[in-house]
Amino acid sequence: MRSGASVAGRIAAIGAVLAAIVIVALLLFRGGGGYTVTAEFHNASQLVNGNPVQIGGAPVGSVKKIDLTDDNRATVELSLKEDFDDLPAETQAVIRQASQSGIANRYVELQLPPANKRSGKKIEDGGRIPITKTTTLVELDQLFNTLDPDTRTAVSDFFRNSAKQFKGKEEQQRELYRYLNPALSTSSRLFNELNRDSPLLARFLQDSEELVTALAEKRDDLSALIGNANRTFRALGAERAALGESIARLPDFMRTANTTFVNLRAALGDVDPLVQASRPAARALGPFLDELRPLAADARPTIRDLSNTLLRRGADNDLLDLQKTFPALASAALDTKERRPDFGSGPKDVGETRGSFPTTVDALNDAAPIIGLGRPYTPELIGWFDDFSTSGPWDAAGGFSRAQIVFNALNVTGQVPQLIPLGDRGSTFEQFARTGQHRRCPGSGEEAAVDGSNVFSAAEQQALDCTEEDRSVGPNP
């Protein structure tokens, strides 16, 4: 029994090992579930199966298979993750080298086009990236093979002597590289500024070319100038102990340098093309500066006063102090709180009230119907202002005034106007009105149009609380 159990256990163990081998083989060599793309290169650049495939520096797959075409080109089958199964048709493939320290440390980089340069087409599973969109790695040996033996020897000597040059100066070289990055960054900004206005840069280079050409034609004079300057500065350097005395005798020094300035005069004549090219701009700039000068002079008091307005010494006397009061003003205008206003007779407790702004909004909203009702009577109001008159001088009893309102409709009423005395101390108001006509509609000071365009409907008369029968112009009631 014990022997039979041992045999059964061995068989079970062997079966488990075989199952594990089958599972591992399926995981390693399964063909489905991925996304493959074939890229065509001029040569495989020492790629091997299993080399990584990257997009933007992140691994997305690996090299699955490398074949040779009939025209001796390399086709590299790339196996990508399922998350990257929608490569744009404009995708490019580049073989790169991870470092110079290895032989087969290559990888394939897929470069995706920007969104504004995509046609919307995708590379299907099993599709191809043509050779027009691939780049093969250039080996360093290929570069050196393009050089002749003497050049290769010179390059080798250059690197060997460069190593000797920096030997023992590693710390200084590291400091140099540390400051190199800001210098390159500044140079990049400089060239960006130069490229911002290409026509102006081209014109500057052209003028510079003419200047350099003119200077080259006068190279003998320039050589003499440089020679004299060299002797001058050499003399200054050799006599640095007496430099202080030389500066004290500046007039004598200027006479000694006169020869140099005379030679320089001939060179300055060659700068005339540059000056001629600058004349149109200078000529146009002159009148503008002439007009700007009095403006700048006249603006000085304004700018000084503006400075005092913005910021003046002392408390509560400038705009900065004014803006400090804005929070209290905003609280009075917007906040709901307990208020104790003081109108001159002491503070009065009015309880919790809203700010002035929301209260004003409510008042305007409540007044809207009243204003809407009175708006149609605007012509009558303006006419009343036109016919209203007042007069009244002073006499021994004091001042008196006489006001009179004239209604033009009196000439068609056929009724005797009423004289209504009001007031005292000799003040009298004469008011003429048609009796029984107290509900006139807007515009009733003119006759009704034949087409009825200025006659309100019954509904409108009810809304305006008026009657057409009280029209002041028309047949007598």
Side-chain angles (χ1 to χ4, degrees):
M1 294 296 295
R2 185 176 301 173
S3 176
S6 176
V7 172
R10 291 176 181 178
I11 294 174
I14 293 173
V17 172
L18 292 176
I21 293 174
V22 171
I23 293 174
V24 172
L26 290 175
L27 293 176
L28 293 177
F29 303 105
R30 63 180 179 178
Y35 171 69
T36 59
V37 175
T38 300
E40 185 176 355
F41 295 91
H42 286 288
N43 61 75
S45 298
Q46 302 184 27
L47 281 174
V48 296
N49 294 341
N51 280 148
V53 179
Q54 298 182 4
I55 296 179
V60 297
S62 60
V63 175
K64 183 178 181 181
K65 184 179 180 182
I66 302 175
D67 286 329
L68 193 65
T69 62
D70 295 337
D71 54 355
N72 296 324
R73 293 179 178 177
T75 58
V76 180
E77 185 176 346
L78 310 177
S79 177
L80 306 180
K81 298 178 182 179
E82 294 182 357
D83 296 339
F84 301 90
D85 59 353
D86 57 349
L87 294 179
E90 295 80 11
T91 301
Q92 298 188 6
V94 182
I95 299 177
R96 298 193 181 279
Q97 186 174 5
S99 66
Q100 295 289 342
S101 59
I103 299 178
N105 54 350
R106 308 291 196 267
Y107 68 94
V108 179
E109 180 184 7
L110 297 180
Q111 298 177 349
L112 306 185
N116 58 349
K117 294 186 178 180
R118 298 185 182 184
S119 62
K121 298 180 180 180
K122 305 294 183 180
I123 301 177
E124 302 295 336
D125 186 15
R128 300 178 69 86
I129 300 178
I131 197 171
T132 57
K133 296 180 180 179
T134 61
T135 303
T136 304
L137 178 67
V138 177
E139 300 290 346
L140 190 60
D141 294 340
Q142 293 176 319
L143 176 62
F144 286 131
N145 288 336
T146 61
L147 306 177
D148 56 62
D150 293 338
T151 304
R152 289 197 294 270
T153 301
V155 171
S156 177
D157 293 340
F158 170 77
F159 286 111
R160 185 180 300 109
N161 293 328
S162 297
K164 295 179 181 179
Q165 175 185 359
F166 297 116
K167 185 176 181 180
K169 301 178 180 178
E170 292 81 1
E171 291 297 330
Q172 295 88 334
Q173 193 65 23
R174 277 194 286 268
E175 283 294 311
L176 173 64
Y177 291 146
R178 187 166 68 88
Y179 290 104
L180 182 61
N181 184 27
L184 295 177
S185 176
T186 305
S187 301
S188 176
R189 291 196 296 271
L190 171 63
F191 288 115
N192 288 336
E193 292 295 329
L194 291 176
N195 292 330
R196 179 174 297 179
D197 193 344
S198 299
L200 182 61
L201 178 61
R203 188 161 60 251
F204 170 76
L205 294 178
Q206 183 178 0
D207 294 340
S208 301
E209 179 186 5
E210 296 177 359
L211 172 63
V212 173
T213 303
L215 293 177
E217 294 176 355
K218 300 292 183 179
R219 55 182 175 272
D220 295 337
D221 296 336
L222 290 175
S223 177
L225 170 64
I226 296 174
N228 293 334
N230 185 27
R231 286 193 295 271
T232 299
F233 288 112
R234 183 178 300 172
L236 290 174
E239 300 294 336
R240 57 181 176 272
L243 184 59
E245 183 181 356
S246 299
I247 295 176
R249 299 177 179 180
L250 185 60
D252 296 336
F253 170 77
M254 296 298 296
R255 282 192 292 271
T256 304
N258 183 55
T259 304
T260 303
F261 296 149
V262 171
N263 295 331
L264 181 61
R265 186 182 305 164
L268 292 177
D270 297 327
V271 189
D272 287 342
L274 179 61
V275 176
Q276 294 292 338
S278 303
R279 281 185 177 179
R283 188 178 299 110
L285 189 61
F288 171 75
L289 294 178
D290 293 338
E291 296 180 4
L292 184 62
R293 186 177 294 109
L295 173 63
D298 295 340
R300 288 179 180 176
T302 303
I303 296 176
R304 182 173 58 252
D305 294 342
L306 180 61
S307 176
N308 293 334
T309 302
L310 293 175
L311 181 62
R312 178 183 296 176
R313 293 181 179 180
D316 302 332
N317 58 1
D318 54 39
L319 289 181
L320 293 180
D321 295 327
L322 176 62
Q323 60 90 21
K324 296 178 181 178
T325 65
F326 290 166
L329 177 62
S331 177
L334 301 175
D335 295 345
T336 299
K337 61 182 181 180
E338 295 287 340
R339 300 182 188 274
R340 292 174 54 84
D342 186 355
F343 299 103
S345 60
K348 305 295 183 182
D349 190 0
V350 296
E352 185 177 77
T353 59
R354 295 187 301 167
S356 59
F357 283 4
T359 304
T360 303
V361 170
D362 291 344
L364 292 176
N365 291 333
D366 295 340
I370 302 174
I371 297 174
L373 180 62
R375 186 180 295 113
Y377 293 94
T378 302
E380 280 75 10
L381 179 63
I382 299 301
W384 182 77
F385 288 158
D386 180 62
D387 292 336
F388 180 83
S389 63
T390 180
S391 64
W394 289 76
D395 60 8
F400 68 93
S401 176
R402 183 181 302 275
Q404 182 179 10
I405 303 174
V406 179
F407 289 89
N408 296 330
L410 293 176
N411 59 352
V412 297
T413 60
Q415 298 179 3
V416 178
Q418 289 183 329
L419 179 62
I420 305 176
L422 299 173
D424 53 5
R425 291 178 59 85
S427 299
T428 303
F429 293 90
E430 294 180 354
Q431 178 178 350
F432 297 90
R434 293 182 62 183
T435 59
Q437 295 183 346
H438 307 296
R439 300 176 61 193
R440 293 179 180 176
C441 293
S444 63
E446 59 183 10
E447 295 184 3
V450 178
D451 58 358
S453 58
N454 63 343
V455 178
F456 289 94
S457 65
E460 292 172 336
Q461 293 180 35
Q462 182 178 2
L464 294 172
D465 191 22
C466 67
T467 60
E468 178 61 23
E469 289 75 8
D470 285 353
R471 181 179 291 271
S472 60
V473 180
N476 294 332

